[in-house]
Amino acid sequence: MKKLPEIEQIESMIPTLGSRARFEILAHSQKGEVKMPIYKITFGSEDPSAPVLGFTGGVHGLERIGAQVCVSLLHSLGQLAMWDESIQETLKKVRVFFIPTVNPIGIFKKTRANPRGVDLMRNAPVEADNAARWVGGHRRGPHFPWFRGYEGQPMEVESQALVDAVEKEISQSRLAVTLDVHSGFGFLDRIWFPYAKTVQPFPDLPSAFRLKELLDKTYPYHFYNFEPQAQSYTTHGDLWDYLYDQHRAKNYPGLYMPLCLEMGSWMWVKKNPWQIFLADGPFNPMKLHRLRRILRRHNTLMEFLIRAVASKDSWVTQDQQLQLQWESKAKELWYADV
Ligand SMILES: [Zn+2]
């Protein structure tokens, strides 16, 4: 059977990590003879109310680097869990999970969509205010990119597996953060917070601002643009909008902050223009030295996010005064024209 190198890497960690991590197969993605597992790997506390951090990648198969970055972070955390006493202590109270290859056949076949031609990031039942035509998601059929799936159809196997697994992780958690890793948009690495469906601010704007402030103060030379996703483009069917809205609609107890890391791939293309002619060229670093650089580039972000979920009071508050203060700074920064 055909194997994806990223899945082989995950499977090779099973004997090494032993009881330090829990491996499960959420579902299989299938197309004809080809069948590939969607793995979830979980470290740390099994208390449902524990703070949770999740990393996901490979939702868009063509953006393979997203899956590779996730596997690289998974590898590092696995090693730290074996010898680093401070991480071992943290993992007693925090849970960290990885779903690195959400769309394995898409990765294998170098397609953005899943094997049925559906763009998983347009596939959730969420309607946007003013989605961009075509790019924002459409229902015309799988022969055009950004297909949402036909009206009234259930979510695709891969989307449903992701949504179910993430909802289970975050539902009872005091504080949950997820980071979905993508590539392709612009020259900069962006960290996007909700919404994708509207340019209007989302309800947890104060905490998003405070998290950005902590990142800026702690790592003043970091290279991320931390901003609302809809300021780049508005889309229907965003999986993270859906999970966030469901979390609120069901009155789950904690705060949930879904983030996307959109790695700016245009810089890689600028430095190596010929790769634009390859199917996956516009979305991935092609030169080995650049690939290695990207695979180590986000280690600090992972460590920052682990610390942030373990230190809730530093950026999530019930203090109304403080909330108003963070909100007004956020509006000044991001919503001056809205
Ligand atoms: Zn993407």
Side-chain angles (χ1 to χ4, degrees):
M1 195 165 74
K2 295 190 169 71
K3 279 268 185 179
L4 196 65
E6 289 75 9
I7 291 178
E8 285 180 336
Q9 276 176 280
I10 292 169
E11 289 175 343
S12 75
M13 294 179 204
I14 298 176
T16 328
L17 288 173
S19 61
R20 290 187 179 86
R22 307 183 282 284
F23 288 75
E24 58 186 299
I25 291 175
L26 299 175
H28 285 88
S29 178
Q30 196 158 2
K31 165 105 178 168
E33 296 289 289
V34 184
K35 185 179 175 188
M36 292 186 180
I38 302 170
Y39 269 101
K40 172 170 176 276
I41 307 94
T42 311
F43 296 82
S45 173
E46 296 193 57
D47 173 359
S49 69
V52 171
L53 173 62
F55 294 92
T56 61
V59 170
H60 288 140
L62 203 47
E63 301 161 19
R64 178 174 214 152
I65 186 65
Q68 292 171 321
V69 164
C70 264
V71 172
S72 165
L73 296 175
L74 162 64
H75 170 87
S76 295
L77 188 68
Q79 290 298 315
L80 290 171
M82 289 199 276
W83 63 265
D84 177 358
E85 291 177 22
S86 70
I87 280 285
Q88 289 166 349
E89 271 314 298
T90 304
L91 288 174
K92 284 182 189 162
K93 54 175 190 159
V94 166
R95 185 163 54 254
V96 183
F97 71 89
F98 296 83
I99 310 174
T101 58
V102 175
N103 178 10
I105 296 183
I107 300 172
F108 186 72
K109 293 193 174 291
K110 301 183 182 179
T111 61
R112 176 182 172 92
N114 79 343
R116 284 153 44 87
V118 175
D119 184 335
L120 302 176
M121 270 305 252
R122 307 287 184 272
N123 188 223
V126 175
E127 299 301 312
D129 282 350
N130 276 309
R133 207 177 146 86
W134 294 105
V135 181
H138 65 85
R139 297 205 186 274
R140 299 288 178 84
H143 305 297
F144 303 100
W146 311 293
F147 177 49
R148 301 177 62 186
Y150 291 113
E151 186 80 50
Q153 291 289 305
M155 268 193 277
E156 295 296 304
V157 172
E158 300 84 1
S159 317
Q160 194 69 58
L162 177 70
V163 163
D164 289 348
V166 173
E167 184 173 352
K168 197 169 151 207
E169 282 292 353
I170 66 177
S171 62
Q172 299 309 312
S173 167
R174 288 193 290 284
L175 172 62
V177 175
T178 51
L179 186 77
D180 188 25
V181 188
H182 289 253
S183 64
F185 185 83
F187 288 102
L188 298 165
D189 288 348
R190 293 156 200 274
I191 297 174
W192 280 337
F193 60 83
Y195 280 118
K197 66 177 183 178
T198 174
V199 293
Q200 295 304 318
F202 82 129
D204 288 303
L205 185 64
S207 287
F209 174 81
R210 177 62 181 157
L211 187 63
K212 179 205 185 289
E213 192 175 59
L214 285 180
L215 180 64
D216 292 348
K217 285 185 172 171
T218 313
Y219 299 106
Y221 308 109
H222 77 76
F223 42 76
Y224 299 102
N225 256 38
F226 200 112
E227 60 192 21
Q229 172 162 0
Q231 287 188 352
S232 292
Y233 49 82
T234 314
T235 58
H236 295 298
D238 184 277
L239 294 166
W240 306 102
D241 279 8
Y242 179 67
L243 276 158
Y244 177 79
D245 284 345
Q246 287 288 304
H247 187 272
R248 288 183 67 81
K250 294 183 181 176
N251 265 320
Y252 288 141
L255 181 140
Y256 174 43
M257 180 72 62
L259 303 173
C260 282
L261 169 60
E262 182 79 18
M263 295 181 285
S265 63
W266 297 358
M267 188 56 76
W268 313 332
V269 177
K270 189 178 162 194
K271 289 183 177 163
N272 185 35
W274 289 105
Q275 72 183 56
I276 199 93
F277 298 110
L278 301 168
D280 48 350
F283 302 96
N284 297 283
M286 292 283 146
K287 300 267 186 187
L288 185 61
H289 69 275
R290 196 161 295 128
L291 172 65
R292 293 168 69 103
R293 196 177 304 147
I294 303 309
L295 292 182
R296 64 175 179 255
R297 188 171 162 88
H298 304 288
N299 293 344
T300 309
L301 180 63
M302 175 170 79
E303 286 174 33
F304 170 76
L305 290 174
I306 291 174
R307 290 170 207 276
V309 293
S311 314
K312 178 170 178 273
D313 294 342
S314 57
W315 62 287
V316 180
T317 181
Q318 299 302 321
D319 181 333
Q320 296 253 313
Q321 201 86 36
L322 209 47
Q323 275 189 357
L324 285 172
Q325 199 184 319
W326 292 346
E327 184 165 12
S328 91
K329 285 184 181 174
K331 287 194 167 155
E332 204 175 298
L333 177 63
W334 289 309
Y335 295 93
D337 326 319
V338 176

